[in-house]
Amino acid sequence: RGRRAARPPGLQPGPQLLRRLQALQLRHAAVDPRGPGARDRWLACRHEGIDDEHRELFAACHKLLDVAHGGNPDAADALIRELISKIEAHYHREEKILHEYHPAGAIVHQHDNHALSARTHALHRGYLCGRIRRQELIDHIIHQAVVGHARQAKTALEKPYAN
């Protein structure tokens, strides 16, 4: 009852993660057919610095997945730590920008970022202690700390620019 089927050994992303990754690969292709500087409507919050950082975080997620699938756990662990640091720095910069343009939305977004950070660090500690698998941590980082965050940022930052 409510039990998941066991995944085979190794890093095997589930169907939901594969769908999101395929969407990311399509949306963040190296060459945009719409021309240089074109932004993805689903992600762009219309603040150039934040949009660029979101793209960098997506690229880092792709790199992490490539390394994790390559079977090098030490390199994957190092990239996880590096990506968590990048995410934290991005949240901090984004909160400063949002406070400048939309103070009311900044408070809610800051709360969401802090909750995501706390959950990410808790899962990372759980992974280091052997309580959760690397794949669970990677899924959270991609689905929540990066993709989910980018969607929240788009909503929070669209409002001050809307006209």
Side-chain angles (χ1 to χ4, degrees):
R1 189 177 90 135
R3 230 183 161 132
R4 289 184 185 177
R7 288 186 185 170
L11 189 62
Q12 299 292 323
Q16 182 182 16
L17 177 60
L18 286 175
R19 281 192 302 276
R20 286 190 183 194
L21 289 176
Q22 289 166 350
L24 287 175
Q25 288 167 348
L26 292 174
R27 291 180 180 125
H28 295 280
V31 178
D32 191 322
R34 296 172 291 173
R39 289 190 221 144
D40 303 313
R41 281 186 223 114
W42 79 279
L43 176 65
C45 60
R46 296 175 22 185
H47 186 283
E48 199 65 39
I50 291 175
D51 287 343
D52 289 344
E53 285 187 14
H54 286 163
R55 285 187 190 94
E56 289 171 15
L57 290 173
F58 281 108
C61 287
H62 283 291
K63 183 178 178 181
L64 172 60
L65 287 170
D66 289 343
V67 169
H69 281 286
N72 186 342
D74 292 335
D77 291 348
L79 283 174
I80 287 170
R81 287 189 302 276
E82 181 182 326
L83 185 53
I84 290 172
S85 294
K86 285 181 181 181
I87 290 167
E88 293 287 325
H90 166 71
Y91 287 177
H92 183 69
R93 283 189 297 274
E94 186 178 84
E95 289 165 9
K96 282 183 173 181
I97 291 167
L98 192 53
H99 275 290
E100 183 179 327
Y101 291 102
H102 187 40
I107 295 168
V108 173
H109 193 66
Q110 185 176 19
H111 181 287
D112 292 342
N113 284 351
H114 286 254
L116 278 171
S117 290
R119 179 72 177 143
T120 302
H121 285 288
L123 287 171
H124 190 230
R125 284 190 304 274
Y127 167 67
L128 294 173
C129 295
R131 289 188 307 237
I132 68 165
R133 297 174 304 158
R134 180 184 302 114
Q135 183 61 46
E136 291 177 65
L137 176 59
I138 291 173
D139 285 352
H140 167 78
I141 289 170
I142 292 171
H143 289 234
Q144 303 302 318
V146 176
V147 175
H149 161 79
R151 288 183 181 147
Q152 289 174 346
K154 178 183 179 189
T155 302
L157 283 160
E158 278 180 329
K159 293 175 184 172
Y161 290 107
N163 276 358

